[in-house]
Amino acid sequence: GAGVSQTPSNKVTEKGKYVELRCDPISGHTALYWYRQSLGQGPEFLIYFQGTGAADDSGLPNDRFFAVRPEGSVSTLKIQRTERGDSAVYLCASSFGGGAGDTQYFGPGTRLTVL
Amino acid sequence: GQNIDQPTEMTATEGAIVQINCTYQTSGFNGLFWYQQHAGEAPTFLSYNVLDGLEEKGRFSSFLSRSKGYSYLLLKELQMKDSASYLCAVINNAGNMLTFGGGTRLMVKP
């Protein structure tokens, strides 16, 4: 079936603006994750959803970042008052049940550029 | 704390064998993943090890030693398309968070 999809693929915004990034997980996957990847580095964990609830949001850098998954499928990562340091590729992943051995399948990412 | 180390870059020749090492010191451990990431693309799953030993899957093999906090990814019969970044990642005890190393950029030359 289809893999994880993310929209938009690229987003350019100005400092101080609000952005929303969308993730469509693999159908039937209950677990959803957001990561952030800066150039030349590995992805860094932001938040994990099991169903509709944020089970672990310990990676969100500050309260400007928020994510929702209201129906347990599509998720939206929201960033308020964007800063230049928020520029990165935002990756979404999903897995079947969220267990340790469950493979996390990644989407292609949204490249966010804050001018 | 979490610390995962892997070499930044490696170069190898087409048809050869290359070993990419990863060492980790993490507060929790429930397995180690290797992902491949081509430039501008999503990381794609290669392997998962939770028990000590070698797991072989075609041209790719992955090894884990939990007592040493050490893993390696072995790529045989290298092809030009294997040029990519290889990411080592540890899954935490709760099984919900991957902590990644910085990635190893492998360049395969003819």
Side-chain angles (χ1 to χ4, degrees):
Chain A
V4 177
S5 62
Q6 294 185 244
T7 55
S9 55
N10 279 284
K11 176 71 178 177
V12 180
T13 191
E14 293 179 343
K15 180 176 179 295
K17 299 290 188 182
Y18 168 84
V19 296
E20 290 189 351
L21 312 179
R22 176 188 167 108
C23 172
D24 274 275
I26 294 171
S27 178
H29 280 192
T30 62
L32 185 145
Y33 316 78
W34 284 98
Y35 292 82
R36 178 167 72 173
Q37 186 173 27
S38 299
L39 191 64
Q41 298 182 18
E44 293 179 301
F45 172 81
L46 295 176
I47 188 169
Y48 158 66
F49 285 90
Q50 182 56 255
T52 61
D56 185 343
D57 64 358
S58 62
L60 294 178
N62 52 59
D63 61 6
R64 295 187 298 104
F65 289 75
F66 189 70
V68 296
R69 194 186 185 200
E71 297 178 358
S73 178
V74 170
S75 176
T76 305
L77 179 65
K78 308 180 181 195
I79 311 174
Q80 297 178 322
R81 304 183 304 279
T82 51
E83 300 177 357
R84 292 194 180 89
D86 299 336
S87 296
V89 176
Y90 288 81
L91 294 167
C92 176
S94 70
S95 69
F96 181 70
D102 284 348
T103 299
Q104 295 184 24
Y105 295 93
F106 284 82
T110 294
R111 181 176 299 277
L112 175 66
T113 302
V114 182
L115 301 177
Chain B
Q2 312 287 80
N3 193 35
I4 300 177
D5 288 319
Q6 46 182 135
T8 306
E9 286 190 358
M10 297 183 72
T11 303
T13 304
E14 192 177 15
I17 299 173
V18 70
Q19 177 174 313
I20 302 174
N21 295 325
C22 172
T23 58
Y24 63 90
Q25 289 178 305
T26 56
S27 54
F29 181 88
N30 214 340
L32 188 145
F33 288 82
W34 284 95
Y35 283 83
Q36 180 191 60
Q37 187 177 28
H38 285 98
E41 298 184 11
T44 55
F45 169 76
L46 291 177
S47 66
Y48 170 66
N49 295 68
V50 66
L51 300 176
D52 286 357
L54 186 68
E55 297 271 348
E56 296 185 78
K57 194 187 296 184
R59 294 190 300 115
F60 292 8
S61 303
S62 57
F63 172 83
L64 176 67
S65 168
R66 294 181 64 149
S67 62
K68 295 182 179 178
Y70 168 68
S71 173
Y72 67 72
L73 181 69
L74 193 70
L75 292 75
K76 302 176 186 175
E77 301 166 18
L78 280 172
Q79 302 175 9
M80 298 300 290
K81 67 178 182 179
D82 297 330
S83 293
S85 286
Y86 291 85
L87 300 164
C88 170
V90 167
I91 190 83
N92 62 341
N93 286 337
N96 66 317
M97 181 194 307
L98 284 170
T99 300
F100 285 86
T104 299
R105 193 169 75 173
L106 174 66
M107 288 174 280
V108 180
K109 297 187 173 180

